[in-house]
Amino acid sequence: MTEGLVLVSPLWEKSSGGQKTGCWIAAGVTVINAIRHYCLEMGWAFNFKPSPSARGAHLFFVCDCERAPTPEQRAQRTQSANDWLTGWVSWLRLILGPAAAVGDVHGDLSQTRAALVLAGVLSAESEGHLWTGGRTVLVQVGDILDRGEDEIAILSLLSSLNMQAKSQGGAVFQVNGNHETMNVEGDFRYCDPGGFDECVRFLDYLDECDGNWDNAFLNWINVCERWKKEYGALPNGDWRPWDFVKKQKGFAARSSLFKRGGPLACELARHPVVLKINDWIFCHGGLLPHHVEYGIERMNREVSIWMKCSGEDNDDETDIPFIATRGYDSVVWSRLYSQDPAERTRRALMLSSIVAEQTLEAVGAKGMVVGHTPQMHGVNCKCDGKVWCVDVGMSSGILYSRPEVLEIVNDRPRVLKKRRELYDEMEVLDYL
């Protein structure tokens, strides 16, 4: 048997008999019902076995190896399963390879590419954007938007890499941060002028694609870079105070894309605010005990519904999920774990460590990975090693620091970073 991420990446491998292949997942009842529907559509056989944990059931299904799809067919067929599972999948059991966590990138495509190359999941060549991570699971912990001019390009790149990763048994996950929820709310205070320009150009390209969203979105990473080479960087320097027409056009373009129910809001709705992979929690700000009590799957579902539903809907379910997206102690805004220790009292540090321990115990996890707060000294662990902070402020709109990546192999985290001297060799810091 092969243990893997069946939800988004079925692994087609022969058993000792050479006739059947199978995969395992751990999931809740709702997820299993969705997969049952999908398996019936695909003509796959499946059965259940008891779970070794109390959080769900193991689902096992098999299919004939002779009818196993090609990588292209596999990616296409699993898309409908992804649509079914959006907002519901919070607990994933992966035994695929290492996990790599990347912090806030804030619209800086160059730095994002550097971080992905450092993580070993993206080809170093400037052309092609090829996944090189094999079965690696990549997690970006939010705040792709704002402060930079390549936001849609980064979203496009990650989506393209995810499709490639699926065919190799890997995966790419995004976790929504506070800047994603702010843009869906229509709060564009931190949008770079070049970000407005990118929205205008993307809508023009969408028209060239005759409104075919999937083609336009997935190809945008290539089109955007090609346009930059041909016409230079996005003209964010000519946003003079009196250029009201250009500002109005940029604002209208961004609003149409990110408004609730808009195409980019629906893309963001595919991603959770909290993700659990094996014994690790990934979120943007920080998971707290009252979030766990409220329900992680419930938060993910409510944020997803809120983003996908038009703002004209009056249903209570479409109201903004306050516990996840608003307030200093919400999942995307909390800085309890990531604040600089020098700015806190000893009592506050002890309290945050206790809260982290209680939270992890409640969800059955060993560690948590968060972003949100730039770390002046790079990726580091806090709360007695329970919480890892991976936002290094790499974007040129923040600190423009060198990219760093947290890699987790067999529950052992280590920091990957590239040294600026000594021939730019890669430096690896291991933590026990």
Side-chain angles (χ1 to χ4, degrees):
M1 304 300 178
T2 301
E3 191 163 356
L5 178 57
V6 179
L7 298 183
V8 292
S9 180
L11 304 178
W12 305 87
E13 296 186 4
K14 293 182 180 180
S15 65
S16 57
Q19 298 299 320
K20 300 292 185 180
T21 183
C23 303
W24 292 90
I25 65 157
V29 174
T30 305
V31 173
I32 289 175
N33 287 337
I35 296 178
R36 178 192 289 117
H37 173 89
Y38 181 61
C39 290
L40 290 174
E41 281 189 344
M42 300 301 299
W44 292 341
F46 60 89
N47 57 56
F48 295 93
K49 287 192 176 182
S51 171
S53 68
R55 281 198 294 271
H58 271 129
L59 169 66
F60 175 65
F61 66 85
V62 297
C63 77
D64 191 334
C65 280
E66 293 180 358
R67 295 188 295 112
T70 64
E72 292 76 15
Q73 292 172 327
R74 192 181 312 164
Q76 182 179 5
R77 291 181 179 183
T78 53
Q79 184 58 54
S80 60
N82 291 342
D83 294 340
W84 267 85
L85 299 170
T86 295
W88 295 92
V89 181
S90 304
W91 313 97
L92 302 177
R93 186 68 189 175
L94 315 182
I95 300 184
L96 300 173
V102 175
D104 307 30
V105 296
H106 281 300
D108 193 322
L109 179 60
S110 177
Q111 290 285 77
T112 301
R113 283 181 52 87
L116 299 180
V117 171
L118 181 62
V121 300
L122 179 67
S123 59
E125 292 75 17
S126 59
E127 302 292 339
H129 306 104
L130 298 178
W131 173 263
T132 59
R135 293 189 175 184
T136 297
V137 178
L138 174 70
V139 183
Q140 198 283 324
V141 296
D143 276 11
I144 292 173
L145 303 183
D146 290 335
R147 304 187 188 277
E149 61 184 26
D150 294 310
E151 304 151 290
I152 306 176
I154 296 173
L155 292 172
S156 173
L157 172 61
L158 293 178
S159 182
S160 175
L161 290 177
N162 185 36
M163 293 187 67
Q164 297 177 56
K166 290 176 184 179
S167 67
Q168 300 179 32
V172 177
F173 293 104
Q174 297 168 228
V175 175
N176 284 321
N178 61 302
H179 282 267
E180 280 72 48
T181 61
M182 288 168 65
N183 274 267
V184 175
E185 286 187 80
D187 186 347
F188 302 149
R189 285 177 295 167
Y190 301 99
C191 179
D192 185 87
F196 286 109
D197 288 332
E198 186 189 28
C199 291
V200 173
R201 289 192 174 186
F202 177 75
L203 285 180
D204 290 341
Y205 179 62
L206 182 60
D207 288 339
E208 292 179 16
C209 295
D210 297 323
N212 188 319
W213 173 261
D214 290 338
N215 285 347
F217 181 62
L218 288 175
N219 291 332
W220 178 247
I221 176 61
N222 300 311
V223 173
C224 176
E225 293 199 319
R226 187 164 61 247
W227 278 2
K228 281 190 174 184
K229 290 180 180 178
E230 293 178 2
Y231 305 110
L234 293 174
N236 61 343
D238 62 353
W239 272 56
R240 300 179 181 89
W242 56 84
D243 197 347
F244 297 113
V245 175
K246 183 173 183 179
K247 286 186 175 181
Q248 186 177 27
K249 185 178 181 181
F251 190 90
R254 193 173 186 88
S255 297
S256 68
L257 289 169
F258 284 103
K259 68 180 180 180
R260 290 178 56 194
L264 281 180
C266 289
E267 287 293 334
L268 296 177
R270 296 174 180 268
H271 311 300
V273 290
V274 181
L275 177 69
K276 184 175 186 235
I277 300 179
N278 291 348
D279 297 319
W280 289 80
I281 291 288
F282 298 85
C283 57
H284 183 66
L287 186 68
L288 304 175
H290 71 281
H291 301 148
V292 179
E293 183 178 358
Y294 186 82
I296 293 177
E297 290 191 11
R298 179 182 176 185
M299 284 192 298
N300 285 338
R301 183 178 67 253
E302 289 179 350
V303 173
S304 179
I305 292 174
W306 171 71
M307 288 182 167
K308 288 187 294 186
C309 292
S310 168
E312 298 176 358
D313 295 331
N314 295 320
D315 195 322
D316 288 342
E317 284 194 1
T318 64
D319 289 343
I320 185 168
F322 194 92
I323 193 171
T325 63
R326 289 282 188 88
Y328 70 94
D329 61 348
S330 64
V331 174
V332 301
W333 281 100
S334 175
R335 300 186 193 271
L336 178 66
Y337 305 132
S338 57
Q339 191 175 355
D340 188 344
E343 301 175 357
R344 310 181 68 189
T345 65
R346 184 176 179 181
R347 178 181 176 83
L349 291 173
M350 291 178 59
L351 177 62
S352 63
S353 182
I354 293 173
V355 172
E357 184 175 5
Q358 292 175 344
T359 303
L360 293 174
E361 182 178 353
V363 297
K366 295 179 180 178
M368 188 185 308
V369 180
V370 301
H372 191 42
T373 305
Q375 305 296 303
M376 303 302 293
H377 303 292
V379 173
N380 64 90
C381 58
K382 292 182 170 63
C383 301
D384 297 325
K386 303 178 188 70
V387 179
W388 284 85
C389 304
V390 296
D391 178 13
V392 296
M394 72 176 78
S395 170
S396 59
I398 305 294
L399 300 176
Y400 202 28
S401 60
R402 61 178 176 176
E404 296 185 13
V405 175
L406 180 67
E407 183 183 62
I408 304 172
V409 182
N410 297 324
D411 284 334
R412 183 178 182 181
R414 64 177 185 173
V415 180
L416 308 180
K417 55 185 176 181
K418 207 168 186 179
R419 300 179 64 176
R420 288 177 174 166
E421 59 280 331
L422 297 179
Y423 310 105
D424 267 349
E425 76 237 43
M426 189 173 70
E427 180 179 0
V428 178
L429 303 179
D430 286 298
Y431 290 82
L432 297 177

